[in-house]
Amino acid sequence: MKRREFVGGLAAAVGVTACAQEPADCGDSAAASAETFEWSCVTSWPPKFPGLGIGPENLAQRVEAATAGRLRIKVYGGGELVPPFEVFDAVSRGTVEMGHSAAYYHKGKLDAAQFFTAIPFGMTSSELEGWLYYGGGLELYRELYEPFDLVPFPTGNTGVQMGGWFNKEINSIDDLKGLKMRIPGLGGEVLRRAGGTPVTLPGAEIFTALQTGAIDATEWVGPYNDASFGLHKAAKYYYYPGWQEPGPGLETIVNRAAWDSLPPDLQAVVSLACQAVTSDMAAEYSNGNAESLAQLARDDSIEIREFPDDVLALLRTIAHEVVTELMADDARSAKIGEAYFAYLEKASANSKITELAYLKTRDT
Ligand code: CA
């Protein structure tokens, strides 16, 4: 039963049901239920940042309410307790019990983790969730993090991002050459091979870097988050689509010992709250992006443009090479990547005749 509880929200709920039916197996759960827990959750985001930072706050509030305060979680913005990109290590070591971050920030230490956030030209958010919750993805995710004493839970997704803000027009491949752009993960490697210089910066440092000219371009998320950083005041051209992050999933990570210390009902609440936050964040981004895009569209100082077809075609070819090499060089990436692309092939065939076909019909 223990193993099944780790598999996900639904499985965790099943575990609790089984326990209720078999009280003899439940040990001292009655005694455990009186115990209270105070956890810290470190994040990679500016405190209470729209979407990304609201997600862990929502998680903490829901868990506290659903457990009548038996599990209280204090959320810290990136840099408040640990730097934004050290969430993985801090939770792995047990410095704190919980973190909220994006798996591709662990690139270098754990390259295969990138499949659980976003792959350039890869899965959309609904395809990724299909894979994680029902297609075997979450089991691979848990297996990958096990040696680091971490239990991961998908928790939120930004949806399809924007291609980013540029201080010059991108009319051809040549315009990418020499371009210094904030773009993390595999997308950054794709840009490098296209002749650009990728830079990884935490969100909070992007505006100043773009405004001062330290970088020529940046991707961040989409209208909702980009407008809240004021990126439209630092660059003129706003390109789409976000080929580099077509539906990046975010994660809650829990230290293994902390997880094991929770009674099964609190584990179930955490697991279910993570799924609830995923659903809530999708709604928040759907609404926030629509509102912010409407405002940006009225701003005469910026232009919203689609990347030229030949630029996207080249980036797609390079992205394929980059991911193929990653899988050739790293056994864990090969195993997870094979599962990812097998699922993408099936999901994509379905998306083509549903979302894509429908939106083409409605919006042209
Ligand atoms: Ca991004």
Side-chain angles (χ1 to χ4, degrees):
M1 192 174 97
K2 198 102 188 164
R3 172 66 196 153
R4 279 164 58 208
E5 283 164 15
F6 290 159
V7 172
L10 296 172
V14 169
V16 170
T17 304
C19 184
Q21 288 165 348
E22 300 162 39
D25 293 342
C26 296
D28 57 355
S29 65
S33 72
E35 200 177 345
T36 60
F37 299 83
E38 305 269 343
W39 281 12
S40 296
C41 176
V42 293
T43 73
S44 301
W45 328 116
K48 299 183 175 59
F49 193 70
L52 304 170
I54 294 292
E57 296 284 350
N58 269 342
L59 178 68
Q61 284 168 14
R62 283 159 196 235
V63 167
E64 184 169 336
T67 63
R70 286 166 57 214
L71 174 55
R72 290 176 201 269
I73 301 168
K74 181 162 172 48
V75 179
Y76 294 89
E80 288 186 333
L81 210 56
V82 304
F85 293 158
E86 290 177 24
V87 168
F88 185 94
D89 289 337
V91 183
S92 176
R93 280 195 306 264
T95 308
V96 290
E97 294 84 1
M98 181 183 266
H100 188 260
S101 188
Y104 67 9
Y105 287 148
H106 324 319
K107 179 175 178 264
K109 174 183 357 250
L110 196 57
D111 285 339
Q114 295 172 101
F115 288 97
F116 302 113
T117 307
I119 294 295
F121 297 96
M123 292 189 205
T124 64
S125 62
S126 60
E127 292 166 346
L128 183 68
E129 281 161 27
W131 180 53
L132 290 174
Y133 288 123
Y134 285 94
L138 188 52
E139 284 164 336
L140 293 169
Y141 204 167
R142 296 266 155 94
E143 184 181 284
L144 183 70
Y145 279 28
E146 201 159 6
F148 300 90
D149 292 325
L150 292 172
V151 188
F153 298 85
T155 309
N157 193 305
T158 69
V160 183
Q161 298 202 350
M162 286 289 281
W165 296 89
F166 296 73
N167 63 13
K168 65 171 194 177
E169 295 178 60
I170 303 298
N171 294 318
S172 74
I173 310 304
D174 287 343
D175 293 321
L176 298 176
K177 299 205 162 75
L179 191 80
K180 193 169 178 188
M181 178 172 182
R182 183 271 179 191
I183 171 169
L186 293 168
E189 178 57 19
V190 174
L191 179 76
R192 192 183 68 73
R193 293 188 191 197
T197 304
V199 180
T200 298
L201 289 173
E205 296 173 26
I206 295 175
F207 176 79
T208 303
L210 189 60
Q211 195 186 39
T212 59
I215 54 175
D216 307 312
T218 185
E219 68 83 59
W220 172 225
V221 182
Y224 181 45
N225 283 157
D226 295 4
S228 63
F229 270 161
L231 298 182
H232 54 295
K233 294 174 187 150
K236 179 173 180 182
Y237 301 101
Y238 197 20
Y239 276 93
Y240 63 90
W243 58 272
Q244 78 288 359
E245 294 189 52
L250 308 169
E251 65 182 12
T252 295
I253 46 179
V254 180
N255 177 271
R256 165 70 58 187
W259 179 252
D260 288 346
S261 75
L262 290 183
D265 66 322
L266 294 193
Q267 289 183 338
V269 169
V270 170
S271 187
L272 292 167
C274 288
Q275 273 193 298
V277 168
T278 298
S279 166
D280 186 74
M281 196 185 291
E284 186 189 354
Y285 271 105
S286 181
N287 176 65
N289 282 330
E291 295 287 345
S292 298
L293 179 62
Q295 284 175 17
L296 291 173
R298 289 195 295 270
D299 186 337
D300 292 338
S301 67
I302 59 166
E303 289 185 26
I304 302 173
R305 295 188 177 191
E306 187 169 11
F307 283 121
D309 286 346
D310 59 340
V311 169
L312 287 172
L314 177 85
L315 294 171
R316 192 164 57 238
T317 302
I318 298 175
H320 181 73
E321 287 168 13
V322 167
V323 179
T324 303
E325 281 177 32
L326 171 67
M327 290 166 62
D329 292 347
D330 173 38
R332 291 178 296 196
S333 294
K335 180 180 176 182
I336 294 167
E338 276 162 26
Y340 180 98
F341 286 109
Y343 193 86
L344 174 57
E345 193 178 340
K346 287 184 283 187
S348 159
N350 179 58
S351 297
K352 266 183 202 138
I353 61 165
T354 52
E355 302 280 332
L356 181 63
Y358 172 67
L359 291 175
K360 265 195 207 159
T361 302
R362 189 188 67 182
D363 296 335
T364 48

